Amino acid sequence: MKRYEEVYKDIEKKILSGSFPAGSYLPSENELKEEFLVSRETIRKALNLLMNAGLIQKKQGKGSMVIERKLLNFPVSGLTSYKELQRQQGFTSKTKVVKLFKKKINALDAERTGFPLDSEVWYLLRERLIDGKSVVLDEDILLTSFIPNLTVEIAENSIYDYFENELGLEIAYAEKEITISSVNDEDKLYLALSTNDINVVSIKSRVYLSDSTLFQYTESRHRVDKFRFVDFARRNKI
Amino acid sequence: MKRYEEVYKDIEKKILSGSFPAGSYLPSENELKEEFLVSRETIRKALNLLMNAGLIQKKQGKGSMVIERKLLNFPVSGLTSYKELQRQQGFTSKTKVVKLFKKKINALDAERTGFPLDSEVWYLLRERLIDGKSVVLDEDILLTSFIPNLTVEIAENSIYDYFENELGLEIAYAEKEITISSVNDEDKLYLALSTNDINVVSIKSRVYLSDSTLFQYTESRHRVDKFRFVDFARRNKI
DNA sequence: CAGTGGTCTAGACCACCCG
DNA sequence: GGGTGGTCTAGACCACTGC
């Protein structure tokens, strides 16, 4: 593991466990440099990552204060898979694969997904159930050229884990869009909607690999009463 | 201006103007180092900022490729004020101040805002109008200890501009939460809702200064049909 | 004033990509 | 093997904070 990762992990652990409580200051960069026996730049790299993660706030002349995350506890933003979220947040849910087959991209799909016409893709539709009720409907469209095999078993677990750790794909970034959409037939069919639900929350994403190739399009449709998106944002100065 | 800021701005300009088109590679770090007459670390700092901004994708052994931002064009995430968004995205809208007065935080407000009981705050309610129709209702609660004066004129323009450039406040970060909420009486009164609108999108934020003090609580209520949230997210490896 | 973080440098070595 | 970006270092100077 890289040195700055070790420093990051160590300090993160101490913050989360309460050894560095919210509102307190971390040791200075010079002290941390001595403690970890690395250069100051390495310490600074780790601290900047902690700052971006919303764990500390640095202030010139003062130090690095541990941030208190109040009401809005768990970050649900970023590029994190459903399984990872579940693990982080400690809730348990079940994933049910509704559809899984190969197809070729038609004109309509090309438009919304960004994949070229006639590309061969996996089409995957999954329900996410909490307390036995289906609250999220996940549609995934994935290039078969990157994912030769995809089974129901993999799709019931984390497809990201499979892509990254089995196939060695480097998932780099995503463009996401959240809108409110009218309930459609598929929503009615699979989501446990109440009779007066007329809207669902739609999250569309295009996911890219580290060489900037598009490899996944995904749309999640959420019951409005179960939807919550939490974000930590820093002010851009530049 | 700092050297890395100059490098960032220069490259950003060349990307946005098309001198570095999407899909092409930037000059290598060593070439940029020569061109700008700075050290490689300074170049790297600028490039990492461009990467976080979603403008380029770096790849070890290959280079820094300019990212093509397809359908999902304009980032609406992060910590950016309404006026700034408007300017960036080129749409014009009008802001109408509905309420502006001082008050003391009661028990209910203390709970939702995070301000201590009995703190003196500004209470500000604004409509955002597009094409003459009110599509967003913005409620702001701000500590008077940081903002001694707040006028209708300031509130009709950018309060952030006033805070940062007039008062010298350093806005650092925010916790945000997006949920779907039922229409309430105030929504009915001010938003141009249609008769079958039963939901609005609620964005609650707590905004902190660089010394980690909470100074603003804000809730935006959006008409569901006018709501769109666009985000660029990077996969965390650490 | 001493201590803090912010910027910047010159140089080294490594991991990766590709011809 | 030569070029790319990734990590890490030791050191310098600056800007800000608080006593």
Side-chain angles (χ1 to χ4, degrees), chain B residues 3-185:
Chain B
R3 314 284 263 118
Y4 73 85
E5 276 185 39
E6 290 175 26
V7 176
Y8 177 98
K9 287 286 184 194
D10 188 89
I11 297 177
E12 181 193 39
K13 200 176 66 187
K14 285 173 182 161
I15 290 174
L16 297 180
S17 72
S19 306
F20 291 146
S24 71
Y25 282 93
L26 297 185
S28 74
E29 295 180 352
N30 276 315
E31 287 168 338
L32 290 169
K33 170 181 98 177
E34 311 281 315
E35 181 187 337
F36 288 98
L37 299 172
V38 296
S39 74
R40 194 176 146 222
E41 284 295 335
T42 300
I43 294 292
R44 287 179 53 73
K45 181 151 189 180
L47 293 187
N48 282 329
L49 289 169
L50 288 163
M51 189 164 88
N52 287 331
L55 290 167
I56 64 170
Q57 173 64 30
K58 306 180 81 178
K59 185 90 208 285
Q60 192 172 156
K62 297 198 73 173
S64 302
M65 183 190 281
V66 178
I67 286 181
E68 183 167 12
R69 297 293 278 276
K70 294 183 183 173
L71 265 194
L72 316 175
N73 280 325
F74 301 102
V76 192
S77 65
L79 181 48
T80 307
S81 78
Y82 192 80
K83 272 284 169 196
E84 287 166 346
L85 265 185
Q86 196 180 315
R87 185 162 40 76
Q88 272 175 38
Q89 305 211 19
F91 68 86
T92 53
S93 78
K94 210 174 164 311
T95 296
K96 195 167 132 191
V97 175
V98 179
K99 296 179 183 171
L100 174 59
F101 55 85
K102 284 189 192 180
K103 63 178 281 194
K104 281 211 195 305
I105 291 286
N106 60 31
L108 206 67
D109 285 335
E111 172 65 22
R112 64 173 184 141
T113 63
F115 290 127
L117 203 64
D118 292 331
S119 316
E120 194 186 52
V121 292
W122 289 103
Y123 182 88
L124 171 60
L125 190 66
R126 293 180 290 179
E127 290 176 34
R128 311 290 195 173
L129 297 98
I130 295 180
D131 300 332
K133 284 183 186 164
S134 180
V135 294
V136 183
L137 195 58
D138 260 3
E139 179 188 43
D140 288 281
I141 298 178
L142 300 137
L143 282 182
T144 58
S145 49
F146 290 105
I147 302 116
N149 297 306
L150 190 56
T151 66
V152 170
E153 195 191 353
I154 294 168
E156 273 174 353
N157 287 285
S158 177
I159 56 174
Y160 270 36
D161 180 62
Y162 175 68
F163 297 159
E164 289 183 322
N165 299 325
E166 300 291 321
L167 300 181
L169 295 175
E170 281 183 70
I171 294 161
Y173 62 93
E175 295 175 301
K176 308 169 70 171
E177 180 191 49
I178 303 178
T179 54
I180 314 298
S181 161
S182 296
V183 167
N184 66 25
D185 290 343

Side-chain angles (χ1 to χ4, degrees), chain A:
Chain A
M1 196 188 285
K2 293 144 203 163
R3 314 285 263 118
Y4 73 86
E5 276 186 39
E6 290 175 26
V7 175
Y8 177 98
K9 287 287 183 193
D10 189 88
I11 296 177
E12 182 194 39
K13 199 176 67 187
K14 285 173 181 161
I15 290 174
L16 297 179
S17 72
S19 304
F20 291 145
S24 70
Y25 282 93
L26 297 185
S28 74
E29 295 180 351
N30 277 315
E31 287 167 338
L32 290 169
K33 171 181 96 177
E34 311 281 315
E35 182 185 337
F36 288 98
L37 299 171
V38 295
S39 75
R40 195 177 144 221
E41 283 296 336
T42 300
I43 293 294
R44 286 178 55 72
K45 182 151 190 181
L47 293 187
N48 283 330
L49 289 170
L50 288 163
M51 190 164 89
N52 287 332
L55 289 167
I56 63 170
Q57 173 63 31
K58 305 180 80 175
K59 185 90 208 286
Q60 191 172 157
K62 296 198 74 173
S64 302
M65 183 190 281
V66 178
I67 285 181
E68 184 167 11
R69 297 293 279 276
K70 294 184 183 172
L71 265 196
L72 316 175
N73 280 325
F74 301 103
V76 192
S77 65
L79 180 48
T80 307
S81 77
Y82 192 81
K83 272 283 170 198
E84 287 166 346
L85 265 185
Q86 196 180 314
R87 186 162 39 77
Q88 271 175 36
Q89 305 211 20
F91 68 85
T92 53
S93 77
K94 210 174 163 311
T95 296
K96 195 168 130 190
V97 175
V98 178
K99 296 180 185 173
L100 174 59
F101 55 86
K102 284 189 192 180
K103 63 178 278 194
K104 280 210 194 305
I105 291 285
N106 60 30
L108 206 68
D109 284 336
E111 172 66 23
R112 64 173 184 141
T113 63
F115 290 127
L117 203 64
D118 292 330
S119 317
E120 194 186 53
V121 293
W122 289 104
Y123 182 90
L124 171 61
L125 190 66
R126 292 179 289 179
E127 293 174 33
R128 311 290 194 175
L129 297 97
I130 296 179
D131 298 333
K133 284 183 187 165
S134 179
V135 294
V136 183
L137 195 58
D138 261 2
E139 179 187 43
D140 287 280
I141 298 178
L142 300 138
L143 282 183
T144 57
S145 49
F146 290 107
I147 301 115
N149 297 306
L150 191 56
T151 65
V152 170
E153 193 191 354
I154 293 168
E156 274 175 351
N157 288 284
S158 177
I159 56 174
Y160 270 35
D161 180 62
Y162 175 67
F163 298 159
E164 289 183 323
N165 300 325
E166 300 291 322
L167 300 181
L169 296 175
E170 281 184 68
I171 293 161
Y173 61 92
E175 296 175 300
K176 307 168 70 170
E177 181 191 48
I178 303 178
T179 54
I180 313 299
S181 162
S182 296
V183 167
N184 65 26
D185 290 343
E186 214 166 41
D187 299 331
K188 281 184 197 155
L189 198 55
Y190 297 109
L191 288 177
L193 296 171
S194 80
T195 49
N196 54 357
D197 276 334
I198 56 173
N199 294 318
V200 294
V201 179
S202 161
I203 306 184
K204 303 185 183 76
S205 309
R206 292 178 181 196
V207 185
Y208 297 81
L209 301 177
S210 63
D211 62 358
S212 292
T213 54
L214 174 63
F215 101 110
Q216 177 187 21
Y217 171 84
T218 176
E219 180 174 356
S220 292
R221 297 177 74 86
H222 297 243
R223 251 174 62 177
V224 292
D225 59 327
K226 294 291 182 186
F227 177 77
R228 181 168 181 255
F229 180 88
V230 180
D231 196 10
F232 177 86
R234 290 207 163 267
R235 180 108 172 119
N236 285 328
K237 294 200 174 160
I238 193 166

